[in-house]
Amino acid sequence: MSITTGDFRQKVTVHTLADKKHKHEPIVCLTAYDYATARLADEAGVELILVGDSLAQVVLGYDSTLPVTVEEMLHHSRAVRRAVRQALLVVDMPFGSYHTGLNAALEYATRFVKEGGAEAVKIEGGVSRVELIRAMLDAEIPVVGHIGLTPQSVHRMGGYKVQGKTVEAMDSLLRDAAALDAAGVSALVLEGIPREVAARITSEVATPTIGIGAGPECDGQILVFHDLAGLTFHPAAKFVRRYCNAGEQISTAITSYRDDVRRREFPSDAESYHLPREVQAGVLNELSKRKIGG
Ligand code: KIV
């Protein structure tokens, strides 16, 4: 039996991703953090929507993903959940929520499913996460892996640097990919790694790979919504393609609104409510006699 949404489009599940890899059909993924953008992404046919912990930077204004909390992730997941009908909804487990022990990690992952409506959770890391991934799968929680440039490891990596550029680093990435593939992740995000290494991983593993700064051979691609829309305040990374400049358009709109208010050109009479014609004279007469509070 296949599950369909109210508008009869097919619901994307973790199995759809595997199916698309099998058929060599690219998987379209995008982050979203609120109802409006999640709804637009879902209606455009994006197959996987990620409530990414990039929320910390692009929505909450932190300078890394490290400070964002489970409660903040849940708050935004619930908003996205209310919008998403067709796409697979994946939620990032934030830094600290799966690093202190299996039980705590399972409890938080369960909350993302029960309270945030997640259909899978994403965790960063390779070989060292295998035990946790197995425990999550035992608890019926699908997992998306994430290797390469893993932003939660910014301090260990010594900055946001492309990974896998030496033979040793490449071997370590291949080991991570193989371990997560064998552990049964539903998809594997490859971030900030050379195209050639990502292509090799993609052809070697059964898991669908989702690239971000990892070249075109990955089974799918993901972008941060604010990067795609031009809603960021820093120079874009090399791999970002800006599809519009919403920041500039919104800024122009706000400036026009500011000027209209200052010139008393907003609101116009047509944008104002009026008394009904039949009571107008009487109400205006009474109004002229009233004093506020008197
Ligand atoms: O948090 C995020 O937006 C991500 C994507 C970049 C994959 O993890």
Side-chain angles (χ1 to χ4, degrees):
M1 188 186 79
S2 66
I3 304 170
T4 53
T5 56
D7 57 8
F8 302 107
R9 291 180 299 167
Q10 273 234 320
K11 176 76 186 86
V12 178
T13 72
V14 288
H15 302 289
T16 317
L17 306 183
D19 199 40
K20 285 182 89 68
K21 174 164 182 133
H22 191 65
K23 293 182 185 152
H24 301 287
E25 288 173 7
I27 303 164
V28 185
C29 313
L30 187 62
T31 68
Y33 318 93
D34 61 38
Y35 179 86
T37 52
R39 186 159 168 173
L40 293 171
D42 192 59
E43 289 178 0
V46 167
E47 279 118 7
L48 184 157
I49 293 180
L50 171 70
V51 184
D53 61 353
S54 47
L55 163 74
Q57 290 161 290
V58 298
V59 176
L60 302 180
Y62 292 114
D63 61 7
S64 78
T65 59
L66 302 183
V68 73
T69 65
V70 166
E71 297 307 325
E72 286 166 334
M73 291 299 297
L74 277 169
H75 177 78
H76 288 266
S77 303
R78 286 191 289 263
V80 170
R81 178 68 281 172
R82 289 191 278 272
V84 173
R85 294 280 171 271
Q86 182 197 19
L88 181 77
L89 179 56
V90 181
V91 178
D92 250 340
M93 294 197 62
F95 178 67
S97 67
Y98 59 97
H99 304 80
T100 59
L102 280 187
N103 287 344
L106 281 172
E107 252 170 57
Y108 287 130
T110 305
R111 288 190 68 195
F112 282 120
V113 174
K114 281 174 96 87
E115 300 172 37
E119 293 161 282
V121 296
K122 179 165 80 59
I123 60 175
E124 296 182 5
V127 175
S128 62
R129 303 285 176 240
V130 165
E131 194 189 354
L132 173 58
I133 292 164
R134 295 222 169 97
M136 298 253 203
L137 296 181
D138 277 350
E140 311 299 345
I141 301 172
V143 181
V144 171
H146 184 163
I147 61 172
L149 193 173
T150 46
Q152 292 177 11
S153 322
V154 59
H155 296 315
R156 181 180 54 72
M157 293 184 304
Y160 299 101
K161 296 176 180 163
V162 173
Q163 302 293 298
K165 293 205 288 188
T166 63
V167 173
E168 200 183 30
M170 175 201 72
D171 277 339
S172 162
L173 269 180
L174 296 181
R175 272 196 301 277
D176 285 339
L180 298 194
D181 188 42
V185 291
S186 299
L188 180 57
V189 172
L190 303 178
E191 178 166 357
I193 66 176
R195 172 180 180 171
E196 299 76 10
V197 180
R200 181 84 182 134
I201 292 173
T202 299
S203 69
E204 287 291 308
V205 298
T207 307
T209 61
I210 310 296
I212 173 158
E217 285 85 7
C218 297
D219 297 306
Q221 297 292 330
I222 187 162
L223 276 179
V224 167
F225 170 79
H226 291 64
D227 285 338
L228 169 152
L231 263 177
T232 53
F233 298 90
H234 52 76
K238 174 179 179 161
F239 63 80
V240 168
R241 188 177 296 177
R242 283 216 156 128
Y243 285 86
C244 66
N245 202 335
E248 223 169 84
Q249 285 177 281
I250 293 170
S251 180
T252 303
I254 295 171
T255 308
S256 302
Y257 166 68
R258 179 201 68 193
D259 293 345
D260 284 353
V261 171
R262 286 181 181 165
R263 290 193 296 254
R264 296 198 183 282
E265 286 175 6
F266 175 82
S268 66
D269 190 55
E271 287 157 337
S272 305
Y273 295 107
H274 295 89
L275 290 162
R277 199 180 295 277
E278 59 282 10
V279 298
Q280 197 172 34
V283 173
L284 284 179
N285 184 38
E286 288 303 314
L287 187 62
S288 67
K289 296 180 200 162
R290 297 287 192 280
K291 274 198 165 53
I292 298 290

